[in-house]
């Protein structure tokens, strides 16, 4: 009797399909343009970062890294522009440091 119940639990409908991926696993290479597009898409405050990542096939953590890197680049370039702005002259005390 126990054996009958065991076999009933293993009919064809109870099996699930699995996919076996063989071969070398490779990381996807994202171009700078693709990264910029995805980061820009995620910049909208009304948009879920997780949803943007899912839609584009990117891990949410990786998208967060790209966002931080982009923000750091913007801050660095703004600082460089500010230091090179016309009319900004360094005084003697500042040059001697």
């Amino acid at each position: 009797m126990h054996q009958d119940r065991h076999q009933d639990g293993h009919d064809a409908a109870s099996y699930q399909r699995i996919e076996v991926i063989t071969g070398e696993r490779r990381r996807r290479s994202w171009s700078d343009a693709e990264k910029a597009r995805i980061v820009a898409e995620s910049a909208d405050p009304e948009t879920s970062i997780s949803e943007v990542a899912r839609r584009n096939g990117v891990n949410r953590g990786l998208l967060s890294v790209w966002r931080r890197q982009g923000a750091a680049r913007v801050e660095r370039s703004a600082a460089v522009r500010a230091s090179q702005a016309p009319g900004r002259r360094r005084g003697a005390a500042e040059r001697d440091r």
Side-chain angles (χ1 to χ4, degrees):
M1 187 160 188
H2 173 69
Q3 189 176 18
D4 292 335
R5 283 185 284 163
H6 180 74
Q7 288 177 350
D8 289 341
H10 290 289
D11 61 359
S14 69
Y15 288 98
Q16 293 180 346
R17 184 179 129 194
I18 63 168
E19 183 176 353
V20 177
I21 300 172
T22 60
E24 189 176 326
R25 185 175 178 172
R26 297 180 187 192
R27 291 185 176 184
R28 166 122 190 233
S29 178
W30 298 92
S31 71
D32 289 341
E34 288 174 310
K35 291 178 188 180
R37 180 187 56 76
I38 296 168
V39 167
E41 187 181 336
S42 72
D44 179 7
E46 299 291 317
T47 304
S48 162
I49 296 172
S50 294
E51 180 57 35
V52 171
R54 245 189 321 274
R55 214 175 18 249
N56 289 283
V58 179
N59 180 289
R60 186 200 185 285
L62 181 57
L63 178 52
S64 295
V65 168
W66 292 347
R67 288 167 50 100
R68 280 193 302 274
Q69 289 172 343
R73 254 187 239 111
V74 168
E75 287 176 14
R76 281 193 306 270
S77 64
V80 168
R81 280 194 306 273
S83 70
Q84 296 173 347
R88 176 170 157 64
R89 295 202 164 172
R90 292 171 34 173
E94 226 178 323
R95 278 193 303 258
D96 293 339
R97 285 188 203 180

